[in-house]
Amino acid sequence: MILKDKVALITGASRGIGKACAIAFAREGAKLALCATNLSLLEQTCSEIEQQFGQKPIHFAFDVRDSAKVNETVKKTLDTLSRIDILVNNAGTTRDQLLAMMSEEDWDTVLSINLKSVFLFTKAVTKPMIRQRSGRIINMSSVVGKTGNAGQANYAASKGGVIAFTKTAAKELAKRNITVNAIAPGFIQTDMTAQLGEKVAAEMGNVIPLGRFGKPEEVANTAVFLASEQAGYITGQVIGVDGGLGM
Ligand code: NAP
Protein backbone atom coordinates (compact mmCIF):
# COMPACT_ATOMS: atom_id res chain seq x y z
CA MET A 1 0.00 0.00 0.00
CA ILE A 2 1.86 3.07 -1.25
CA LEU A 3 -0.30 5.68 0.52
CA LYS A 4 -0.60 3.93 3.89
CA ASP A 5 -1.87 6.34 6.58
CA LYS A 6 -1.50 9.36 4.32
CA VAL A 7 -4.39 11.81 4.60
CA ALA A 8 -5.91 12.91 1.29
CA LEU A 9 -8.48 15.65 0.67
CA ILE A 10 -10.25 15.15 -2.67
CA THR A 11 -12.75 17.56 -4.25
CA GLY A 12 -15.48 16.44 -6.65
CA ALA A 13 -15.43 12.96 -5.13
CA SER A 14 -19.15 12.17 -5.48
CA ARG A 15 -18.74 10.65 -8.95
CA GLY A 16 -16.50 10.29 -12.00
CA ILE A 17 -12.75 10.81 -11.75
CA GLY A 18 -12.87 12.13 -8.17
CA LYS A 19 -14.75 9.06 -6.94
CA ALA A 20 -12.28 6.80 -8.77
CA CYS A 21 -9.42 8.68 -7.07
CA ALA A 22 -11.08 8.22 -3.67
CA ILE A 23 -11.43 4.47 -4.22
CA ALA A 24 -7.87 4.09 -5.55
CA PHE A 25 -6.42 6.14 -2.67
CA ALA A 26 -8.39 4.08 -0.10
CA ARG A 27 -7.11 0.87 -1.71
CA GLU A 28 -3.57 2.18 -1.19
CA GLY A 29 -4.25 2.82 2.50
CA ALA A 30 -4.98 6.57 2.56
CA LYS A 31 -7.41 8.16 5.00
CA LEU A 32 -9.86 10.37 3.17
CA ALA A 33 -11.76 13.64 3.37
CA LEU A 34 -14.11 14.00 0.42
CA CYS A 35 -16.05 17.00 -0.95
CA ALA A 36 -18.82 17.62 -3.49
CA THR A 37 -22.20 19.34 -3.51
CA ASN A 38 -24.41 16.24 -3.78
CA LEU A 39 -24.66 14.85 -0.23
CA SER A 40 -26.38 11.58 -1.10
CA LEU A 41 -23.84 10.67 -3.83
CA LEU A 42 -21.03 11.62 -1.47
CA GLU A 43 -22.48 9.40 1.26
CA GLN A 44 -22.79 6.58 -1.27
CA THR A 45 -19.08 6.94 -2.17
CA CYS A 46 -18.16 6.88 1.53
CA SER A 47 -20.29 3.76 2.18
CA GLU A 48 -18.76 1.92 -0.79
CA ILE A 49 -15.26 2.74 0.49
CA GLU A 50 -16.16 1.62 4.01
CA GLN A 51 -17.56 -1.68 2.69
CA GLN A 52 -14.52 -2.36 0.49
CA PHE A 53 -11.70 -1.09 2.66
CA GLY A 54 -13.06 -0.87 6.22
CA GLN A 55 -12.45 2.86 6.71
CA LYS A 56 -15.17 5.48 6.31
CA PRO A 57 -14.05 8.80 4.82
CA ILE A 58 -15.19 12.04 6.39
CA HIS A 59 -17.16 14.13 3.93
CA PHE A 60 -18.29 17.70 3.34
CA ALA A 61 -21.13 18.75 1.05
CA PHE A 62 -20.69 22.31 -0.20
CA ASP A 63 -19.91 24.40 -3.24
CA VAL A 64 -16.14 24.74 -3.87
CA ARG A 65 -16.65 28.43 -4.73
CA ASP A 66 -17.41 29.16 -1.06
CA SER A 67 -14.09 30.27 0.46
CA ALA A 68 -15.36 30.16 4.06
CA LYS A 69 -16.49 26.55 3.57
CA VAL A 70 -13.15 25.65 1.96
CA ASN A 71 -11.28 26.96 5.01
CA GLU A 72 -13.72 25.25 7.40
CA THR A 73 -13.29 21.94 5.52
CA VAL A 74 -9.50 22.12 5.75
CA LYS A 75 -9.72 22.97 9.47
CA LYS A 76 -12.17 20.14 10.22
CA THR A 77 -10.03 17.68 8.25
CA LEU A 78 -6.97 18.70 10.28
CA ASP A 79 -8.98 18.49 13.54
CA THR A 80 -10.27 15.00 12.68
CA LEU A 81 -7.40 13.37 10.77
CA SER A 82 -4.49 15.44 12.23
CA ARG A 83 -2.80 16.27 8.93
CA ILE A 84 -3.30 16.71 5.18
CA ASP A 85 -0.63 15.03 3.06
CA ILE A 86 -2.37 15.14 -0.31
CA LEU A 87 -4.81 17.56 -1.94
CA VAL A 88 -6.55 16.57 -5.17
CA ASN A 89 -8.25 19.57 -6.77
CA ASN A 90 -10.61 17.66 -9.02
CA ALA A 91 -14.04 19.35 -8.87
CA GLY A 92 -14.99 20.75 -12.25
CA THR A 93 -17.81 21.63 -14.58
CA THR A 94 -18.60 22.69 -18.16
CA ARG A 95 -20.97 25.26 -19.70
CA ASP A 96 -20.13 24.79 -23.38
CA GLN A 97 -21.12 27.41 -25.92
CA LEU A 98 -19.53 29.16 -28.88
CA LEU A 99 -17.71 32.28 -27.79
CA ALA A 100 -20.08 34.74 -29.48
CA MET A 101 -23.04 33.28 -27.59
CA MET A 102 -21.36 32.53 -24.27
CA SER A 103 -22.96 34.35 -21.34
CA GLU A 104 -20.91 36.21 -18.75
CA GLU A 105 -22.59 34.04 -16.11
CA ASP A 106 -21.38 30.82 -17.75
CA TRP A 107 -17.87 32.27 -18.05
CA ASP A 108 -17.83 33.21 -14.35
CA THR A 109 -19.34 29.88 -13.21
CA VAL A 110 -16.77 27.75 -15.01
CA LEU A 111 -13.79 29.94 -14.07
CA SER A 112 -14.77 30.03 -10.40
CA ILE A 113 -15.54 26.31 -10.02
CA ASN A 114 -12.60 25.07 -12.09
CA LEU A 115 -9.88 27.62 -11.30
CA LYS A 116 -10.71 29.80 -8.29
CA SER A 117 -11.43 26.72 -6.17
CA VAL A 118 -7.93 25.40 -6.97
CA PHE A 119 -6.49 28.63 -5.57
CA LEU A 120 -8.77 28.52 -2.49
CA PHE A 121 -7.98 24.91 -1.56
CA THR A 122 -4.27 25.17 -2.35
CA LYS A 123 -3.95 28.32 -0.25
CA ALA A 124 -5.83 26.68 2.62
CA VAL A 125 -3.57 23.58 2.75
CA THR A 126 -0.29 25.44 2.18
CA LYS A 127 0.32 26.43 5.83
CA PRO A 128 -0.33 22.97 7.30
CA MET A 129 1.78 21.36 4.57
CA ILE A 130 4.63 23.81 5.25
CA ARG A 131 4.41 22.94 8.96
CA GLN A 132 4.51 19.23 8.07
CA ARG A 133 7.47 19.89 5.75
CA SER A 134 5.86 17.82 3.01
CA GLY A 135 2.86 17.72 0.74
CA ARG A 136 1.45 16.63 -2.59
CA ILE A 137 -0.97 18.77 -4.58
CA ILE A 138 -2.56 17.34 -7.72
CA ASN A 139 -4.70 19.57 -9.93
CA MET A 140 -7.08 18.20 -12.55
CA SER A 141 -6.53 20.14 -15.77
CA SER A 142 -7.52 18.89 -19.23
CA VAL A 143 -6.01 18.27 -22.63
CA VAL A 144 -8.03 21.29 -23.84
CA GLY A 145 -6.15 23.48 -21.35
CA LYS A 146 -3.16 22.91 -23.64
CA THR A 147 -4.82 22.79 -27.07
CA GLY A 148 -8.00 24.90 -26.74
CA ASN A 149 -11.31 23.60 -28.05
CA ALA A 150 -14.08 25.27 -30.06
CA GLY A 151 -17.15 25.76 -27.86
CA GLN A 152 -15.15 25.64 -24.63
CA ALA A 153 -13.52 29.07 -24.25
CA ASN A 154 -14.47 29.21 -20.57
CA TYR A 155 -13.49 25.62 -19.82
CA ALA A 156 -10.22 25.71 -21.81
CA ALA A 157 -9.24 29.04 -20.18
CA SER A 158 -9.94 27.59 -16.72
CA LYS A 159 -7.87 24.47 -17.43
CA GLY A 160 -5.03 26.48 -18.99
CA GLY A 161 -5.17 28.60 -15.85
CA VAL A 162 -4.88 25.45 -13.74
CA ILE A 163 -1.66 24.57 -15.60
CA ALA A 164 -0.15 28.05 -15.06
CA PHE A 165 -1.24 27.98 -11.42
CA THR A 166 0.28 24.52 -10.95
CA LYS A 167 3.67 25.62 -12.28
CA THR A 168 3.65 28.78 -10.17
CA ALA A 169 2.68 26.96 -6.97
CA ALA A 170 5.30 24.28 -7.74
CA LYS A 171 8.00 26.96 -7.96
CA GLU A 172 6.84 28.67 -4.75
CA LEU A 173 6.50 25.49 -2.69
CA ALA A 174 9.37 23.33 -3.93
CA LYS A 175 11.71 24.50 -1.17
CA ARG A 176 9.08 23.37 1.35
CA ASN A 177 9.14 19.82 -0.02
CA ILE A 178 5.65 20.24 -1.45
CA THR A 179 5.15 19.01 -5.01
CA VAL A 180 2.43 20.44 -7.24
CA ASN A 181 1.49 18.68 -10.47
CA ALA A 182 -1.39 18.65 -12.91
CA ILE A 183 -3.07 15.80 -14.72
CA ALA A 184 -4.49 16.59 -18.15
CA PRO A 185 -7.08 13.92 -18.97
CA GLY A 186 -8.36 13.54 -22.51
CA PHE A 187 -11.84 12.10 -23.00
CA ILE A 188 -12.76 10.01 -19.96
CA GLN A 189 -16.02 8.07 -19.52
CA THR A 190 -17.91 10.10 -16.91
CA ASP A 191 -21.13 12.13 -16.65
CA MET A 192 -19.18 15.07 -18.10
CA THR A 193 -18.53 13.34 -21.44
CA ALA A 194 -21.88 11.49 -21.43
CA GLN A 195 -23.34 14.88 -22.44
CA LEU A 196 -21.48 14.69 -25.77
CA GLY A 197 -23.84 12.19 -27.36
CA GLU A 198 -23.02 9.03 -29.34
CA LYS A 199 -22.15 10.73 -32.65
CA VAL A 200 -19.50 13.06 -31.18
CA ALA A 201 -18.19 10.23 -28.99
CA ALA A 202 -17.74 7.99 -32.05
CA GLU A 203 -15.96 10.80 -33.95
CA MET A 204 -13.65 11.43 -30.99
CA GLY A 205 -12.88 7.72 -30.77
CA ASN A 206 -11.46 7.99 -34.30
CA VAL A 207 -9.25 10.96 -33.40
CA ILE A 208 -7.79 9.53 -30.17
CA PRO A 209 -4.61 7.57 -31.07
CA LEU A 210 -5.50 4.74 -28.66
CA GLY A 211 -8.95 4.65 -30.27
CA ARG A 212 -11.11 4.83 -27.15
CA PHE A 213 -12.20 6.99 -24.23
CA GLY A 214 -10.27 6.52 -20.98
CA LYS A 215 -11.68 5.12 -17.75
CA PRO A 216 -11.79 7.19 -14.53
CA GLU A 217 -9.61 4.51 -12.91
CA GLU A 218 -6.86 5.21 -15.45
CA VAL A 219 -6.73 8.83 -14.31
CA ALA A 220 -6.89 7.74 -10.66
CA ASN A 221 -3.85 5.47 -11.14
CA THR A 222 -1.80 8.49 -12.23
CA ALA A 223 -3.06 10.50 -9.23
CA VAL A 224 -2.00 7.66 -6.88
CA PHE A 225 1.48 7.67 -8.38
CA LEU A 226 1.85 11.47 -8.15
CA ALA A 227 0.67 11.32 -4.52
CA SER A 228 3.16 8.61 -3.58
CA GLU A 229 6.73 8.81 -2.27
CA GLN A 230 7.84 7.38 -5.62
CA ALA A 231 6.95 10.67 -7.32
CA GLY A 232 9.01 12.76 -4.90
CA TYR A 233 11.22 14.30 -7.60
CA ILE A 234 8.36 15.30 -9.92
CA THR A 235 6.95 18.81 -9.61
CA GLY A 236 5.43 21.44 -11.89
CA GLN A 237 4.54 18.83 -14.49
CA VAL A 238 1.43 18.27 -16.58
CA ILE A 239 0.85 14.56 -17.10
CA GLY A 240 -1.42 13.71 -20.02
CA VAL A 241 -3.78 10.78 -19.50
CA ASP A 242 -5.40 11.09 -22.88
CA GLY A 243 -4.75 8.06 -25.07
CA GLY A 244 -2.24 10.17 -27.02
CA LEU A 245 -4.74 12.92 -27.94
CA GLY A 246 -2.54 15.75 -26.62
CA MET A 247 0.63 14.73 -28.53
P1 NAP B 1 -18.14 14.75 -13.38
O1 NAP B 1 -18.41 13.31 -13.53
O2 NAP B 1 -19.08 15.74 -13.95
O3 NAP B 1 -17.91 15.07 -11.83
C1 NAP B 1 -17.62 16.37 -11.43
C2 NAP B 1 -17.37 16.38 -9.94
O4 NAP B 1 -17.13 17.73 -9.53
C3 NAP B 1 -18.55 15.86 -9.17
O5 NAP B 1 -18.12 15.12 -8.06
C4 NAP B 1 -19.24 17.14 -8.74
O6 NAP B 1 -19.91 16.91 -7.54
C5 NAP B 1 -18.06 18.07 -8.51
N1 NAP B 1 -18.44 19.47 -8.62
C6 NAP B 1 -18.86 20.13 -9.71
N2 NAP B 1 -19.17 21.40 -9.40
C7 NAP B 1 -18.93 21.53 -8.07
C8 NAP B 1 -19.05 22.62 -7.17
N3 NAP B 1 -19.47 23.83 -7.56
N4 NAP B 1 -18.71 22.41 -5.87
C9 NAP B 1 -18.30 21.19 -5.45
N5 NAP B 1 -18.15 20.14 -6.27
C10 NAP B 1 -18.47 20.31 -7.57
O7 NAP B 1 -16.73 15.14 -14.00
P2 NAP B 1 -15.42 14.26 -14.25
O8 NAP B 1 -15.42 13.87 -15.65
O9 NAP B 1 -15.26 13.25 -13.19
O10 NAP B 1 -14.31 15.41 -14.09
C11 NAP B 1 -13.49 15.53 -12.96
C12 NAP B 1 -12.40 16.56 -13.30
O11 NAP B 1 -11.66 16.10 -14.41
C13 NAP B 1 -12.95 17.92 -13.68
O12 NAP B 1 -12.11 18.93 -13.20
C14 NAP B 1 -12.92 17.89 -15.19
O13 NAP B 1 -12.85 19.17 -15.74
C15 NAP B 1 -11.66 17.09 -15.42
N6 NAP B 1 -11.61 16.47 -16.74
C16 NAP B 1 -12.53 15.55 -17.11
C17 NAP B 1 -12.45 14.99 -18.38
C18 NAP B 1 -13.42 13.95 -18.89
O14 NAP B 1 -13.32 13.58 -20.06
N7 NAP B 1 -14.33 13.46 -18.09
C19 NAP B 1 -11.42 15.39 -19.24
C20 NAP B 1 -10.51 16.32 -18.82
C21 NAP B 1 -10.61 16.86 -17.56
P3 NAP B 1 -21.46 17.22 -7.30
O15 NAP B 1 -22.19 16.99 -8.55
O16 NAP B 1 -21.82 16.32 -6.18
O17 NAP B 1 -21.40 18.62 -6.90
Side-chain angles (χ1 to χ4, degrees):
M1 291 204 278
I2 61 174
L3 301 178
K4 189 158 172 36
D5 295 332
K6 299 285 185 193
V7 175
L9 174 56
I10 305 175
T11 71
S14 57
R15 52 203 169 87
I17 292 169
K19 179 174 179 177
C21 286
I23 292 168
F25 278 45
R27 182 177 295 117
E28 293 299 335
K31 297 175 195 162
L32 300 175
L34 306 180
C35 318
T37 61
N38 188 316
L39 179 60
S40 62
L41 283 181
L42 205 48
E43 285 175 340
Q44 197 179 312
T45 301
C46 293
S47 300
E48 284 175 35
I49 287 172
E50 188 181 22
Q51 277 168 20
Q52 282 189 62
F53 308 109
Q55 65 111 341
K56 190 163 190 180
I58 56 171
H59 60 278
F60 305 92
F62 68 98
D63 191 312
V64 289
R65 289 171 286 186
D66 183 336
S67 61
K69 286 270 165 49
V70 170
N71 291 332
E72 193 182 303
T73 296
V74 167
K75 186 179 178 313
K76 283 186 181 163
T77 302
L78 290 167
D79 289 346
T80 314
L81 300 174
S82 303
R83 48 192 294 123
I84 297 174
D85 299 292
I86 304 154
L87 168 66
V88 183
N89 280 310
N90 166 78
T93 195
T94 52
R95 299 285 189 282
D96 295 351
Q97 181 57 273
L98 290 173
L99 189 47
M101 267 107 70
M102 186 174 286
S103 70
E104 195 175 334
E105 187 190 353
D106 282 351
W107 172 271
D108 287 342
T109 299
V110 171
L111 267 290
S112 56
I113 293 175
N114 294 7
L115 181 58
K116 186 181 173 190
S117 73
V118 176
F119 158 68
L120 294 175
F121 270 99
T122 303
K123 185 178 175 193
V125 302
T126 295
K127 275 189 190 155
M129 284 184 176
I130 287 174
R131 275 198 297 274
Q132 289 164 199
R133 296 191 172 81
S134 67
R136 295 270 191 274
I137 298 170
I138 299 160
N139 299 325
M140 216 49 80
S141 178
S142 165
V143 65
V144 309
K146 299 189 286 182
T147 62
N149 195 26
Q152 291 197 304
N154 49 4
Y155 184 76
S158 73
K159 295 303 185 179
V162 166
I163 291 173
F165 178 86
T166 298
K167 293 181 180 182
T168 301
K171 286 183 176 175
E172 286 192 19
L173 298 173
K175 283 201 169 55
R176 308 296 191 152
N177 194 32
I178 298 167
T179 66
V180 191
N181 290 291
I183 296 175
F187 285 79
I188 309 298
Q189 286 169 335
T190 67
D191 294 345
M192 190 175 273
T193 49
Q195 299 167 11
L196 290 174
E198 277 176 30
K199 188 165 169 275
V200 179
E203 282 166 12
M204 284 315 303
N206 292 330
V207 176
I208 298 164
L210 281 177
R212 64 171 177 87
F213 278 31
K215 300 182 188 117
E217 296 75 19
E218 292 175 304
V219 181
N221 291 340
T222 305
V224 166
F225 170 67
L226 288 174
S228 74
E229 295 296 329
Q230 292 159 7
Y233 201 54
I234 300 174
T235 197
Q237 302 304 305
V238 183
I239 313 290
V241 183
D242 60 8
L245 185 63
M247 281 193 272

